[in-house]
Each structure stands twice: as structure tokens, then as C-alpha cells.
Amino acid sequence: RHTPNFENYSYYPNDEQQASNQTAVDALNIEQILPKLRVNGDIADLLSAEDCRITDADNAMAPAASASPIMTMIIAIDLQEQAIANAVCYLDTTSGIYVSKNTIYLTQPDYSNSAEVSSNRTIVHSYSLSTELNYLGSGAADGQLATSDNRDFRINEHEGFLRLVTTTYTGNNEDRVDHQLSILRLDDESLELETIARLPNAQRPDPIGKPNEELYGVRFMSDRLYMVTFERIDPLYAIDLTDPTDPMIAGELTVTGFSDFLHPVNNELLLGLGQSEDGLVKLELFNIADIDAPYSLGASSIGAGANWSYSEARYNRHAFTYQAFDDGTDRFLFFFSLGLNDEINGYSQYERLYLFEINGKNNSINASMDQVGHINAGNTQWWDDRHRAIFHNDAVFFINGTSVWSALWTDPSQQNGPY
């Protein structure tokens, strides 16, 4: 990302400064605007003006106005030659990137107030994942991708179809948010990502979520999509994407609490990490073998007796570590923080790494989620928020701030650390 910056320009001009700003812009040349490349101290050109694309204001899909003078660049680097193989740019800001096997997608929020187009859209630009970085086409979906963590779970490509889950804020207090699924497909001739299906739609009008329910966990699994909405209770929606032109809500399960993070165990089991009805961290294992009738295999509320509990893994997949095995037993780790307040010791806060197993995953009817133990890292290190864990054979290592703890999976109570 590059923003040209030059002298004699006021970014917050008064009436008199506007004229001098125009004079400064008129005096610019292309070389002063384009970014440069520095290799071992030597400056060279990164790209030319012909390598940059700009929105065609006359296109019916274009925003009403460009948001900012920012260049979003994609650069292909030849690692063997240690040189830039190619570089292209889009002359506008983008909010995110999603990469599939063959394509790079840039997402761009559009809040413009145009009478011709929706003022609440997510624009998508696609480029080939190759040395050529060819521009493939652009499209748009109503609503916005989430601006919070894990938003990249809400965009997915499968067998040439791009699927996006977006949210529109309506301004209606009776139903502030609408959630929708859009499915796009590239038309090579028109250079357009065409919208081939939406949900809800006229034939399938049932909303995704009850009125005022926010969207939490989202996970695409091949030709299925699982979504969690919540206000007071948690509906888990199972959406059938077998026919990309006709997606449908196939099943729905209502449980207490909600899941922010959804992790596929296999094609028949789904793990949810979120919050229980009493505000504590919750784990729940779902049987999804029948898309029409998902059901819960059990939930675990972590930190019973605590005043509050929190897990970074709800919002950051790097705080969640999963190890799959073929024998039917998987292992996973997640960071956990809880607060206690009692008359004797007063208020205290603790950091822990919890160790869990998924047992019997190859027989989903009898599968279970079982706690193995935890590594206790003591009081929180409020100045350092790095919480990560790794497996090494049967050893578990917990990085908590600037300290490292370790234990064996077979006996986590015998922990070592801090180091």
C-alpha cells in the first residue's frame, strides 16, 4: 500500500489553500507519485503508470467517488532470482485480501451515496495468482464483510464460485441488521464477477437470523456453510450450497450462548468456541452429519465459579491450535483468561492453556469433547498479549507473553516453567 506524499500541499485546506493545492498537483509528474523500489540501497522503478488500474467512473458498478489517493499493489517476487518479477496496482484503498488456489481477491468497502447503486456494498477485484498478475474482473455484493477479526472466514471460493457473507445495517431499531449470502462467478469476456445467487431471495425469503441478531461464527465447508447469529439465544444455521444458483437454509439448531469461532473436525463434526449464557467461555461439539438436522453432542462452560472468563481464540485463530489424527482422537489447545474475586484473596486474574480431546470422531454419533487438563501460567502479564501454543510430539509449549511453559500431554499437571 502506498500513499503519495509531497511538499507544498495542505491536507486540510482553507479556501485560500485550495488554489495552492491545485497548483501543487498540476506541477506533479508521474515519477513523483509512483512508489520506488530499493535493492541493496539502489533505487529503481517498481512499476509504471500503465501497470495501475483506476475505477471507470462511467461504469454502472463504480462508486460515486474515489475514497482516497491510495495505491494498493500486488507484487510477484522471483525467489530464485531474488528479483521483482511483476507488479500491478489498483488506485484506491482496499480493506482485505483473500487468496484461493488460482486467484487473488481484493475487497473494498463502498459507502458512497449514489442514487444509481447501493451505498452499502463490498466491491471485489480479482487477479490471477501467477507471475502475470492478470486482472480478471470485478463485482460487488450488498452489505459489508465484518470489520472485526476472523472476517476472512466470511469469504470463500469453491469450484470457481466466490461466496461472501455480508451484513447490512438498516437503521431500523426493530431490525438493525440483515445478513446475506452472495455467490459470484467470473465472466471472462465481460471481466465481471457476476452475482448468480443471493440468500435470502424472493423464492427463499426466510432471513438469516432473527431480528437484531448479530452475526458471529461463519465457516464454509465445501458445499456447506455454517453461520451463528445471536441476540439472546444462538441459532446455528446450516446452508446447503450444493446448487450454487439456489442456496438454501437446510437446517437450524437453537442453543444457549453463541460461537464466535467454528472449526471443522471432519465432514460430520463441527466445533464451536464462544460464550455461554452466563458470560463464560463455552465449547460445544455439533453433529452435522445430516445437514437438515444438526444437533449438539455436548457443551462445556470453562471457568465455572469465575467472575468472568475470556479466550483470545474466539477472535484470533492463532490462539487456537489443532492436531488431527487418523485414529479417531484429535487434540486441541486454546488460551484462556479468567478473573476471580473473593473476600480472602481479593481480585486476581489468571492465564491458562486448556488441553482438550475430540474422541470417537470416526463415529460421529458417539463422538465426545473431553478436557485433558490445563497449564497454569499464573497471573496475567497485562503488558504483553502474546498467547500462543504448539505441539511437538507429546510435548505442549505455551507462550504466555515473554514466558514459556511446557508439559506433556499425558500428564499436563507436571508442568515446567516459566522460562
Side-chain angles (χ1 to χ4, degrees):
R1 179 173 294 173
H2 172 68
T3 303
N5 188 17
F6 46 92
E7 299 178 356
N8 302 320
Y9 188 90
S10 175
Y11 287 88
Y12 302 97
N14 55 34
D15 292 341
E16 295 181 358
Q17 292 170 323
Q18 288 184 12
S20 61
N21 275 354
Q22 188 61 54
T23 300
V25 170
D26 292 341
L28 284 174
N29 59 54
I30 293 296
E31 297 303 318
Q32 293 173 274
I33 296 175
L34 293 175
K36 298 296 182 182
L37 172 68
R38 188 185 300 271
V39 180
N40 298 329
D42 297 327
I43 298 177
D45 292 331
L46 176 63
L47 42 70
S48 68
E50 288 74 19
D51 296 319
C52 290
R53 290 182 177 270
I54 190 170
T55 299
D56 178 6
D58 295 329
N59 191 294
M61 194 177 62
S66 179
S68 57
I70 293 178
M71 297 177 185
T72 298
M73 289 167 293
I74 306 174
I75 304 170
I77 302 174
D78 188 324
L79 298 180
Q80 185 171 0
E81 297 295 330
Q82 299 185 25
I84 300 296
N86 197 9
V88 297
C89 88
Y90 169 57
L91 192 58
D92 209 336
T93 185
T94 53
S95 61
I97 180 173
Y98 171 75
V99 182
S100 68
K101 184 178 180 179
N102 300 308
T103 308
I104 301 172
Y105 295 97
L106 302 177
T107 59
Q108 176 183 1
D110 175 28
Y111 303 104
S112 61
N113 295 315
S114 169
E116 291 77 22
V117 298
S118 169
S119 60
N120 187 9
R121 304 180 300 163
T122 297
I123 300 175
V124 183
H125 309 286
S126 59
Y127 293 81
S128 65
L129 184 58
S130 65
T131 303
E132 290 73 24
L133 296 174
N134 294 319
Y135 170 72
L136 302 178
S138 299
D142 290 341
Q144 296 295 329
L145 288 173
T147 56
S148 59
D149 295 322
N150 288 336
R151 65 177 171 178
D152 51 328
F153 286 138
R154 304 186 183 191
I155 179 171
N156 175 268
E157 184 195 275
H158 179 66
E159 296 183 347
F161 297 95
L162 183 68
R163 295 93 65 94
L164 299 93
V165 174
T166 55
T167 297
T168 300
Y169 292 90
T170 65
N172 179 3
N173 290 333
E174 299 299 321
D175 187 8
R176 299 186 306 273
V177 289
D178 289 335
H179 312 297
Q180 52 267 327
L181 165 70
S182 298
I183 300 179
L184 287 67
R185 180 174 55 192
L186 180 66
D187 185 319
D188 295 326
E189 294 185 2
S190 65
L191 298 181
E192 182 179 352
L193 286 166
E194 297 180 322
T195 301
I196 64 168
R198 293 186 178 93
L199 190 71
N201 56 54
Q203 287 71 39
R204 302 188 186 278
D206 291 344
I208 300 172
K210 310 293 189 297
N212 286 325
E213 285 186 342
E214 294 285 352
L215 182 61
Y216 288 84
V218 176
R219 200 68 186 244
F220 287 93
M221 294 173 59
S222 185
D223 56 4
R224 294 185 179 188
L225 166 62
Y226 295 93
M227 301 170 60
V228 171
T229 61
F230 177 81
E231 187 183 29
R232 294 185 178 88
I233 57 174
D234 164 11
L236 170 69
Y237 290 93
I239 297 177
D240 188 346
L241 304 175
T242 304
D243 181 355
T245 65
D246 185 24
M248 66 181 73
I249 298 175
E252 179 181 342
L253 172 67
T254 298
V255 294
T256 57
F258 61 90
S259 297
D260 300 284
F261 174 71
L262 298 173
H263 179 78
V265 176
N266 55 28
N267 291 332
E268 297 186 353
L269 295 170
L270 182 69
L271 177 66
L273 174 63
Q275 179 177 301
S276 67
E277 66 273 22
D278 52 5
L280 299 178
V281 172
K282 183 190 79 164
L283 283 167
E284 191 153 8
L285 185 64
F286 301 99
N287 186 307
I288 56 171
D290 183 355
I291 192 173
D292 298 325
Y295 63 91
S296 175
L297 288 167
S300 177
S301 184
I302 314 297
N307 295 84
W308 60 267
S309 65
Y310 165 79
S311 176
E312 183 186 351
R314 289 170 54 186
Y315 311 104
N316 186 340
R317 88 282 304 272
H318 300 297
F320 178 87
T321 307
Y322 198 91
Q323 189 176 43
F325 294 93
D326 296 330
D327 63 358
T329 299
D330 290 356
R331 299 171 175 178
F332 67 92
L333 311 166
F334 69 95
F335 160 75
F336 174 87
S337 180
L338 75 160
L340 299 172
N341 193 6
D342 60 62
E343 296 179 358
I344 298 176
N345 300 313
Y347 178 77
S348 56
Q349 183 173 328
Y350 298 94
E351 311 276 83
R352 292 176 180 172
L353 182 76
Y354 271 87
L355 289 64
F356 270 81
E357 287 181 342
I358 302 290
N359 288 297
K361 71 173 186 178
N362 295 332
N363 183 8
S364 60
I365 296 177
N366 298 318
S368 64
M369 175 183 60
D370 304 298
Q371 183 178 329
V372 174
H374 67 265
I375 297 176
N376 188 4
N379 291 327
T380 182
Q381 300 183 35
W382 55 267
W383 64 88
D384 198 331
D385 61 355
R386 290 175 291 182
H387 308 107
R388 301 291 182 264
I390 62 169
F391 290 105
H392 185 262
N393 298 325
D394 275 341
V396 174
F397 296 91
F398 176 31
I399 302 169
N400 182 54
T402 54
S403 301
V404 179
W405 303 76
S406 64
L408 291 176
W409 185 270
T410 52
D411 190 5
S413 63
Q414 298 300 311
Q415 62 185 53
N416 301 294
Y419 297 105

